[in-house]
Amino acid sequence: MNITKLTLNNSRMTFVLMALIISLGLMVYTDFPSREDPLVRINKAMIIVKFPGLPPEQVENLITKKVEEKLREIPGIEFINSVSKTGQAVITVSAFEHIEDYIKVWDKVRRKLDETKQVLPQGAIGPIFNDDYGDVSIFTAALTGQNWSMAQLRAHARKIRDRLYTINGIRRVTLHGLQQEKVYVEGVSSVVESNSIDFINLVGSIKDQNLIIPAGKVLTDVREITVETSGKLQSKKDLDELEIRSTNGGTVPLKDYLSLRSSYGEPSTELAYFNGKPAVVIAASMQMGRNILELGPQLKLLLKQVNLELPVGMQLQIATFQADVVEHSIDSVKESLYQTLLIVLAIVILSLGVTEGLIVGITVPLTILASLLVMFFLEIDLQFISLASLIIALGMLVDNAIVITENIHLRLHAGENRRKAALNACQELAWPLLTSTLTTVLAFSPILLAQTTAGEYTRSLAQVVSISLLISWLLSLTVVPLLAVHFIRKKQLHAPFILIPIYQKFVTWVVNFPKRFLLAITATFMFSVYILSLVPVEMFAVSSRSEVLVYVDLPAGYNVRQTEQATSKLTDWLLDSEHNPDVNYVSSYIGTGGPRFFLSIIPNSPAPNNAFMIVNTQSADSASNMLAKIRNYAAKNLAHINIRTELISRGTVPPGVVQLRFTGPDADQLFALSKQAEAALADIPGALHVRNSWENKTSRYRINIDQAKVRRSGITYQAISQSLQATFSGVEITTIRRDDTLIPVIMKVKSTSREMAKSSNPLDLVKVYLNTGEPQYVLLSQVATIESVSQFGSIVRRNMQKTITVEGKHSRWKAPELQAAWDNKIKDIYENLPSGYSIELGGELEGFKNSAGTLFVTLPLFIGLILCLIVSQFNSFRKTLIVACTIPLAFSGGFIGLYLTGANFDFIGALGFISLAGIIINNAIVLIDKISAEQVRGKTKLDAILSASTNRLRPILITTVTTVLALIPLMMMSESLFYSMASVIIFGMSLGTIMTLGAVPALYMILIKGSKTSANQLKENR
């Protein structure tokens, strides 16, 4: 079927279809699902198991290993990473990235965790499974209130959460910084002892009075009536009035012997602050397929209404709002898109004339709108990557239309009528242009099959470019000939291209001295390879967002109060407008990582000695300047604390971070090896944020119980444990039910200040109840001793092996430079590594290696497909070789471009080289096809080369200039993600095209034999 002939025969229907594409495309464009970044499936989930007070070694042996062993049975799990700390195990499971449906894997995890409960020690809390680990909050807002309690803030936050769920498109709302309200029942040890209060019986009697037990139903002839008992604890007042048994057998009010007070968790486990004020942070995530730009105004309106309804002194302030960020990001890309569109139209009009330029120009917006329609039906969101992909495609998609228009123009002046000229031009060029289009599509295709998060993140780049290029080929065979038949008139040929005389002399010299020219471009390529070695390597460029991320890490063993004080001191300085005028606000999460508000940010695991802060500044430049200021302040005023500052990166590992993972069986030897490596890294001048994943060693108290004395005295182990817990942290004995809130009741024994001053042994403060007929208390120090024992702050395991990760970065160097210097310093460790121990590369270099590796795994397949296309086009191995030889020429320009522009060789830059290979060979295909056609017409090889080269110079240069200039707006954007790719393609196309225009004639002269004019001899050379 001749698609061009079909179009010309049904011209009215074609115009109707064009109008339909324009109208539908504009409709879709105005209501397109939008987000800041592509939707990426997170292949990780988190499991938390708690056992208060259990040391890290026992957490590892009794909890972590048990869970890991069960998880290892699941075939879809790739990595199991765990952190065992005092009283808590945090296990992160990672599914294989090639799995299409993670939900099935998580269902299997849930079933295994249910089995695990049977083998965990009694008293373990959990496992708690979180497979919403990757939810990204589209907004976070802080609810603060002067003179308002946390319970009141929590109540209002819950109401706001319920209001948010009324907005269609909100998936999940979470509250952060909630401090659990508790009621403490406390007794002074001397009073408890003098009244012989038995804590075990006391706890039992309180529980008995607060049980919820069904009281049955009363059945009548007509109705069924439920029976309910009263007396359950619903407030602190109910607990005050509770009566307990006294030593004489009677009952007395609980408050006569024990004091009651309402408070919050001591110590708190999760705190949130906004601008230094205690806050409840409300975070909401969005349903898939929704447009955040539509949800944004609805959210703002609701939050404004909520603020008006809040009581005096309470305020709801927005901390992060993705809709504004997305709108700014997309507007920025759209502005670049419009600039690119104008550049492309201006170039084709100036190059081809008004009529032919407009014909080509009309296909550009038509292609974009048609591409948007296809993207809509394929559910490809409008986000930064997909919009930038349209910009990249814009310069390439005019190639087909330009070549067709030029050919029609030449045929018209050769005497053909307009219809015949259009049909013949499309018939001659349809397959060569399809081949060149498919080679570009195939060059982008490895991105489609890249089975990594980075590949999934950039997948829309390949999708959008492929869609737009294929549509442009289709339009060049339909719309272009249709418009040419209607609007192109016979007129004088274009004025001779100004560069043709110069190019003719150049080509003449090249074909006379082909080996010299090939030697020159080979030397250029070798020089560019050397230049590449000077280009810094990184995974992803940092984002242009205005936030600074601050990680506050106190030594292991420090409690949340110390972390809170350090964070408060840093916050006060940050909010000092005299020192930091560019800081807008500061959000702090103490003991937790808070909500994930950006895709690549992985929240901290819960830990009392860690805090996470978000410093919002006025601009990206302000954020960059704040990095050094915060580091300098911390070095002078918080020197004992490891404070790390980062800009938001689009990669999961911040740029410049180097890591080495030490794995082995013995914890002490492993720790010693890691400390040597840590010291070597810290010793490098300029090294920053050096740390290890096991942190520092801490101490704990071990109670050594004299078994014989305990048996003789009749003290039970249960009594000892409860006495210890009641003395130091308190024992939860029941709960007060207030509406839908459960308030734990904690019983605790207090010591007087005099008792604490007299005691040199902490066990003197612990009194164990002894019921041997006559109630009495025994000091625990009489039957036990106490000693301080050293322990690891954390025990980290990776795939069921003890693993310590040492990491750091440098103030100036990139990761490769720092890694090389570090490796040089720890040569002895590498050379003398004990048997059974290993060292693995981690950090940014591992991420780049894995992500780029997935591209190169499938790259040979697509290179083979491209070569098959070219062989089928020319039916010649030698001509295919000529086309393949042009790829290194483009790479030369790309290597030099990275160096000259100061760009880093990152993952997006690597994609640029792959796409560049598909772009540059189009010029070679078109040029070789024309040389072959000229030979078929009877010209000698030399004449065919000269004629075809000058004939194709104009469209090749127009396409190259269009592609290069079209990428300049993308390169100049404030968002630097595509800076490296733009540099690669701009310089690669520029230098590669120049060298291709000489290399193809030179290689054709050497590789293609025969110079006679007969078509038979031409066929023999194929």
Side-chain angles (χ1 to χ4, degrees), residues 349-371:
I349 290 173
L350 290 174
S351 304
L352 302 176
V354 176
T355 304
E356 295 173 17
L358 287 175
I359 290 173
V360 174
I362 286 171
T363 64
V364 177
L366 201 60
T367 302
I368 292 175
L369 293 173
S371 299

Side-chain angles (χ1 to χ4, degrees), residues 4-282:
T4 305
K5 187 175 182 180
L6 183 66
T7 301
L8 296 179
N9 290 339
N10 298 274
S11 58
R12 290 178 177 81
M13 179 55 70
T14 305
F15 283 120
V16 170
L17 289 175
M18 288 171 59
L20 193 62
I21 289 173
I22 293 170
S23 58
L24 289 177
L26 291 173
M27 287 174 59
V28 167
Y29 181 64
T30 56
D31 190 30
F32 215 96
S34 302
R35 57 178 64 244
E36 181 181 12
D37 289 299
L39 184 65
V40 175
R41 302 173 308 141
I42 302 298
N43 68 326
K44 292 180 174 59
M46 181 183 288
I47 301 160
I48 297 177
V49 185
K50 296 182 179 181
F51 197 115
L54 199 66
E57 294 89 346
Q58 294 187 39
V59 170
E60 178 195 18
N61 292 322
L62 300 178
I63 296 175
T64 305
K65 286 184 178 180
K66 305 292 184 184
V67 176
E68 288 178 345
E69 287 167 2
K70 288 292 183 181
L71 293 175
R72 192 73 275 176
E73 297 173 8
I74 301 173
I77 298 298
E78 182 178 15
F79 293 114
I80 302 173
N81 297 309
S82 65
V83 182
S84 301
K85 294 189 174 187
T86 299
Q88 177 176 269
V90 179
I91 301 155
T92 305
V93 291
S94 303
F96 283 102
E97 293 181 322
H98 67 264
I99 294 175
E100 293 184 3
D101 190 0
Y102 292 145
I103 295 177
K104 293 180 180 178
V105 178
W106 303 148
D107 287 342
K108 293 178 182 177
V109 171
R110 286 188 179 89
R111 289 195 290 271
K112 288 296 180 183
L113 292 179
D114 287 339
E115 296 176 15
T116 306
K117 291 178 182 178
Q118 302 172 7
V119 296
L120 292 179
Q122 185 178 1
I125 304 170
I128 303 165
F129 183 57
N130 177 17
D131 60 345
D132 292 325
Y133 189 57
D135 275 3
V136 178
S137 301
I138 60 172
F139 92 95
T140 57
L143 182 65
T144 58
Q146 189 173 1
N147 300 325
W148 291 93
S149 68
M150 181 56 64
Q152 292 167 319
L153 288 176
R154 179 177 56 194
H156 281 280
R158 287 180 171 179
K159 292 178 182 178
I160 297 170
R161 177 186 61 188
D162 295 340
R163 293 274 296 275
L164 286 168
Y165 276 124
T166 63
I167 297 179
N168 188 16
I170 294 297
R171 178 178 180 269
R172 187 170 180 236
V173 182
T174 55
L175 304 180
H176 301 264
L178 292 177
Q179 298 180 50
Q180 189 173 28
E181 187 179 359
K182 295 183 179 181
V183 173
Y184 285 89
V185 179
E186 297 174 322
V188 176
S189 59
S190 57
V191 175
V192 172
E193 183 179 3
S194 62
N195 289 277
S196 300
I197 296 176
D198 181 356
F199 268 114
I200 296 177
N201 290 332
L202 175 61
V203 169
S205 62
I206 293 176
K207 284 183 176 180
D208 288 343
Q209 294 188 51
N210 199 35
L211 288 175
I212 297 179
I213 300 175
K217 299 176 183 178
V218 175
L219 299 177
T220 67
D221 294 337
V222 180
R223 300 173 62 189
E224 180 180 279
I225 303 173
T226 303
V227 178
E228 179 188 9
T229 61
S230 63
K232 293 179 285 292
L233 301 177
Q234 296 181 341
S235 67
K236 174 176 169 292
K237 183 180 178 181
D238 294 339
L239 196 59
D240 280 333
E241 297 173 351
L242 192 67
E243 293 187 342
I244 60 173
R245 274 188 231 165
S246 65
T247 53
N248 58 14
T251 59
V252 294
L254 179 69
K255 61 184 179 182
D256 287 358
Y257 291 96
L258 305 171
S259 64
L260 282 81
R261 63 182 177 90
S262 294
S263 183
Y264 298 98
E266 297 176 358
S268 301
T269 56
E270 180 181 334
L271 297 171
Y273 284 84
F274 185 77
N275 284 344
K277 300 175 183 177
V280 175
V281 175
I282 305 165

Side-chain angles (χ1 to χ4, degrees), residues 360-381:
V360 174
I362 286 171
T363 64
V364 177
L366 201 60
T367 302
I368 292 175
L369 293 173
S371 299
L372 288 173
L373 285 174
V374 177
M375 288 168 59
F376 182 80
F377 288 113
L378 293 180
E379 298 182 349
I380 302 172
D381 291 338

